[in-house]
Amino acid sequence: QVQLVESGGGLVQAGGSLRLSCVASGSIVRLNTMGWYRQAPGKQRELVATITSSGSTNYADSVKGRVTISRDMAKNTVYLQMNSLKPEDTAVYYCNAVLRVLFSSATDYWGQGTQVTVSS
């Protein structure tokens, strides 16, 4: 069984910073792309950033220049460093991983989400 566990969310003032972490655990054979998505109240879930196993990154236009995604392959962990936070960044942030477990093809897995609230 695979688990993605996020941490690092919280309440921060506008202009502040937060660092989210997500650890993948379980019978993982191969961990491919990992990423972060967010969902604000009344809105659809949207991409924030992704990072491939080779280190290629992709960012939403709304966070470019303020957010950095990174990963520690040895620890099956992905990080999201968020700086210059704005009230519109307020959302539940979800970790995503495309991975393979034994005897299966690559599948999407999701964490339970961590709340990020930015006050003005």
Coordinates of all heavy atoms in Angstrom, one line a residue, residues 66-104:
R66 N 8.1 32.6 -7.8 CA 7.9 32.6 -6.3 C 7.9 31.3 -5.7 O 8.1 31.2 -4.4 CB 6.5 33.2 -6.0 CG 6.2 34.6 -6.6 CD 4.9 35.1 -6.1 NE 3.7 34.4 -6.6 CZ 2.9 33.7 -5.8 NH1 3.0 33.8 -4.5 NH2 1.8 33.1 -6.4
V67 N 7.9 30.2 -6.5 CA 7.8 28.9 -6.0 C 8.9 28.0 -6.6 O 9.2 28.2 -7.8 CB 6.4 28.3 -6.3 CG1 6.4 26.8 -6.2 CG2 5.3 28.9 -5.4
T68 N 9.5 27.1 -5.8 CA 10.5 26.2 -6.3 C 10.1 24.8 -5.8 O 9.9 24.6 -4.6 CB 11.9 26.6 -5.7 OG1 12.2 27.9 -6.1 CG2 12.9 25.6 -6.3
I69 N 10.1 23.9 -6.8 CA 9.9 22.5 -6.4 C 11.2 21.7 -6.5 O 12.0 22.0 -7.4 CB 8.8 21.8 -7.4 CG1 8.4 20.5 -6.9 CG2 9.3 21.8 -8.8 CD1 7.2 19.9 -7.6
S70 N 11.4 20.8 -5.6 CA 12.6 20.0 -5.6 C 12.3 18.6 -5.0 O 11.2 18.4 -4.5 CB 13.7 20.7 -4.8 OG 13.3 20.8 -3.4
R71 N 13.2 17.7 -5.2 CA 12.9 16.4 -4.7 C 14.2 15.7 -4.2 O 15.3 16.0 -4.7 CB 12.2 15.5 -5.7 CG 13.0 15.1 -6.9 CD 12.1 14.5 -8.0 NE 11.7 13.1 -7.6 CZ 10.9 12.4 -8.4 NH1 10.4 12.9 -9.5 NH2 10.6 11.1 -8.0
D72 N 14.0 14.8 -3.3 CA 15.1 14.0 -2.8 C 14.8 12.6 -3.1 O 13.9 11.9 -2.5 CB 15.3 14.1 -1.2 CG 16.5 13.4 -0.7 OD1 16.8 12.3 -1.3 OD2 17.0 13.9 0.3
M73 N 15.4 12.1 -4.2 CA 15.1 10.7 -4.7 C 15.3 9.7 -3.7 O 14.6 8.7 -3.6 CB 15.9 10.5 -6.0 CG 15.7 11.4 -7.1 SD 14.0 11.2 -7.9 CE 14.3 9.7 -8.7
A74 N 16.4 9.8 -2.9 CA 16.7 8.8 -1.9 C 15.7 8.7 -0.8 O 15.5 7.6 -0.2 CB 18.1 9.1 -1.3
K75 N 15.0 9.8 -0.5 CA 14.0 9.8 0.5 C 12.6 9.8 0.0 O 11.6 9.9 0.8 CB 14.2 11.1 1.4 CG 15.5 11.2 2.1 CD 15.6 12.5 2.9 CE 16.9 12.5 3.7 NZ 17.0 13.7 4.5
N76 N 12.4 9.6 -1.3 CA 11.1 9.6 -1.9 C 10.3 10.8 -1.5 O 9.0 10.7 -1.2 CB 10.3 8.3 -1.6 CG 10.8 7.1 -2.3 OD1 11.6 7.3 -3.3 ND2 10.3 6.0 -1.9
T77 N 10.9 12.0 -1.5 CA 10.3 13.2 -0.9 C 10.3 14.3 -1.9 O 11.3 14.5 -2.7 CB 11.0 13.6 0.4 OG1 11.0 12.6 1.3 CG2 10.4 14.9 0.9
V78 N 9.3 15.1 -2.0 CA 9.2 16.2 -2.9 C 8.9 17.4 -2.0 O 8.1 17.3 -1.0 CB 8.1 16.1 -4.0 CG1 6.7 15.9 -3.4 CG2 8.2 17.2 -5.0
Y79 N 9.5 18.6 -2.3 CA 9.3 19.8 -1.5 C 8.7 20.9 -2.4 O 8.9 20.9 -3.6 CB 10.7 20.3 -1.0 CG 11.4 19.2 -0.2 CD1 12.4 18.5 -0.8 CD2 11.1 19.0 1.2 CE1 13.1 17.5 0.0 CE2 11.8 18.1 1.9 CZ 12.8 17.3 1.3 OH 13.5 16.4 2.0
L80 N 8.1 21.8 -1.7 CA 7.6 23.0 -2.4 C 7.9 24.2 -1.6 O 7.3 24.4 -0.5 CB 6.1 22.9 -2.7 CG 5.5 24.0 -3.6 CD1 6.0 23.8 -5.1 CD2 4.0 24.1 -3.5
Q81 N 8.9 25.0 -2.0 CA 9.3 26.2 -1.3 C 8.5 27.4 -1.9 O 8.6 27.6 -3.1 CB 10.8 26.5 -1.5 CG 11.2 27.8 -0.8 CD 11.1 27.8 0.7 OE1 11.5 26.8 1.4 NE2 10.6 28.9 1.3
M82 N 7.7 28.0 -1.1 CA 6.8 29.1 -1.6 C 7.2 30.4 -0.9 O 7.2 30.5 0.4 CB 5.3 28.8 -1.3 CG 4.9 27.5 -1.9 SD 3.1 27.2 -1.7 CE 3.0 27.0 0.0
N83 N 7.5 31.4 -1.7 CA 7.9 32.7 -1.2 C 7.0 33.7 -1.7 O 6.2 33.5 -2.6 CB 9.4 33.0 -1.6 CG 10.4 32.0 -1.2 OD1 10.3 31.5 0.0 ND2 11.3 31.7 -2.0
S84 N 7.1 34.9 -1.1 CA 6.2 36.0 -1.5 C 4.8 35.6 -1.7 O 4.1 35.9 -2.7 CB 6.7 36.6 -2.8 OG 8.1 37.0 -2.7
L85 N 4.3 34.9 -0.6 CA 2.9 34.4 -0.7 C 1.9 35.5 -0.8 O 2.0 36.5 -0.2 CB 2.7 33.4 0.5 CG 3.3 32.1 0.3 CD1 3.4 31.4 1.7 CD2 2.5 31.2 -0.7
K86 N 0.8 35.2 -1.5 CA -0.3 36.1 -1.7 C -1.6 35.5 -1.2 O -1.7 34.3 -1.1 CB -0.5 36.4 -3.2 CG 0.8 36.9 -3.9 CD 0.5 37.1 -5.4 CE 1.7 37.6 -6.1 NZ 1.5 37.7 -7.6
P87 N -2.6 36.3 -0.8 CA -3.8 35.8 -0.3 C -4.5 34.8 -1.3 O -5.1 33.8 -0.9 CB -4.7 37.0 -0.1 CG -3.7 38.1 0.2 CD -2.5 37.8 -0.6
E88 N -4.3 35.0 -2.6 CA -4.8 34.1 -3.6 C -4.1 32.8 -3.7 O -4.6 31.9 -4.4 CB -4.8 34.8 -5.0 CG -3.5 35.4 -5.4 CD -3.4 36.9 -5.2 OE1 -3.8 37.3 -4.1 OE2 -2.9 37.6 -6.0
D89 N -3.0 32.6 -2.9 CA -2.4 31.3 -2.8 C -3.1 30.4 -1.8 O -2.8 29.2 -1.7 CB -0.9 31.4 -2.4 CG -0.1 32.1 -3.5 OD1 -0.3 31.8 -4.7 OD2 0.7 33.0 -3.2
T90 N -4.0 31.0 -1.1 CA -4.8 30.2 -0.1 C -5.5 29.1 -0.7 O -6.3 29.3 -1.7 CB -5.8 31.1 0.7 OG1 -5.0 32.1 1.4 CG2 -6.6 30.3 1.6
A91 N -5.3 27.8 -0.3 CA -5.9 26.6 -0.8 C -5.4 25.4 0.0 O -4.6 25.5 0.8 CB -5.5 26.5 -2.3
V92 N -6.1 24.3 -0.3 CA -5.6 23.0 0.1 C -4.6 22.5 -0.9 O -4.9 22.5 -2.1 CB -6.7 22.0 0.3 CG1 -6.1 20.7 0.8 CG2 -7.7 22.5 1.4
Y93 N -3.4 22.2 -0.5 CA -2.3 21.8 -1.4 C -2.2 20.3 -1.3 O -2.0 19.7 -0.2 CB -1.0 22.5 -1.0 CG -0.9 23.9 -1.5 CD1 -1.7 24.9 -0.9 CD2 -0.1 24.3 -2.5 CE1 -1.7 26.2 -1.3 CE2 -0.1 25.6 -3.0 CZ -0.9 26.5 -2.4 OH -0.9 27.8 -2.8
Y94 N -2.2 19.6 -2.5 CA -2.2 18.2 -2.6 C -0.9 17.7 -3.3 O -0.5 18.3 -4.3 CB -3.4 17.7 -3.4 CG -4.7 17.9 -2.7 CD1 -5.4 19.0 -3.0 CD2 -5.2 17.0 -1.8 CE1 -6.7 19.3 -2.5 CE2 -6.5 17.2 -1.2 CZ -7.2 18.3 -1.6 OH -8.4 18.5 -1.0
C95 N -0.3 16.7 -2.7 CA 0.9 16.1 -3.3 C 0.4 15.0 -4.2 O -0.6 14.3 -4.0 CB 1.7 15.5 -2.2 SG 3.2 14.5 -2.8
N96 N 1.1 14.9 -5.4 CA 0.7 13.9 -6.4 C 2.0 13.2 -6.8 O 3.1 13.8 -6.9 CB 0.1 14.5 -7.6 CG -0.1 13.6 -8.7 OD1 0.8 13.5 -9.6 ND2 -1.2 12.9 -8.8
A97 N 1.9 11.9 -7.0 CA 3.0 11.1 -7.5 C 2.5 10.1 -8.5 O 1.5 9.4 -8.3 CB 3.7 10.4 -6.3
V98 N 3.3 9.9 -9.6 CA 3.0 8.9 -10.5 C 4.1 7.8 -10.2 O 5.3 8.1 -10.3 CB 3.2 9.4 -12.0 CG1 2.9 8.2 -13.0 CG2 2.2 10.5 -12.2
L99 N 3.6 6.6 -9.9 CA 4.6 5.6 -9.4 C 4.1 4.2 -9.7 O 2.9 4.0 -10.1 CB 4.8 5.8 -7.9 CG 3.6 5.7 -7.0 CD1 3.4 4.2 -6.6 CD2 3.9 6.5 -5.7
R100 N 5.0 3.3 -9.6 CA 4.7 1.9 -9.9 C 4.9 1.1 -8.6 O 5.9 1.3 -7.9 CB 5.6 1.3 -11.0 CG 5.2 1.7 -12.4 CD 6.1 1.0 -13.4 NE 6.0 -0.5 -13.1 CZ 7.0 -1.3 -13.2 NH1 8.2 -0.9 -13.4 NH2 6.8 -2.6 -13.0
V101 N 4.0 0.3 -8.3 CA 4.2 -0.7 -7.2 C 4.4 -2.1 -7.9 O 4.2 -2.2 -9.1 CB 3.1 -0.8 -6.2 CG1 2.9 0.6 -5.5 CG2 1.8 -1.2 -6.9
L102 N 4.8 -3.1 -7.2 CA 5.1 -4.4 -7.8 C 3.9 -4.9 -8.5 O 2.8 -4.9 -8.0 CB 5.5 -5.3 -6.6 CG 6.2 -6.6 -7.1 CD1 7.6 -6.3 -7.8 CD2 6.5 -7.5 -5.8
F103 N 4.1 -5.4 -9.7 CA 3.1 -6.1 -10.5 C 2.0 -5.1 -11.0 O 0.9 -5.5 -11.2 CB 2.5 -7.3 -9.8 CG 3.4 -8.3 -9.3 CD1 3.4 -8.7 -8.0 CD2 4.4 -8.9 -10.2 CE1 4.3 -9.6 -7.5 CE2 5.3 -9.8 -9.7 CZ 5.2 -10.2 -8.4
S104 N 2.3 -3.8 -11.1 CA 1.3 -2.9 -11.6 C 2.0 -1.9 -12.6 O 3.2 -1.8 -12.6 CB 0.7 -2.1 -10.4 OG 1.6 -1.1 -10.0

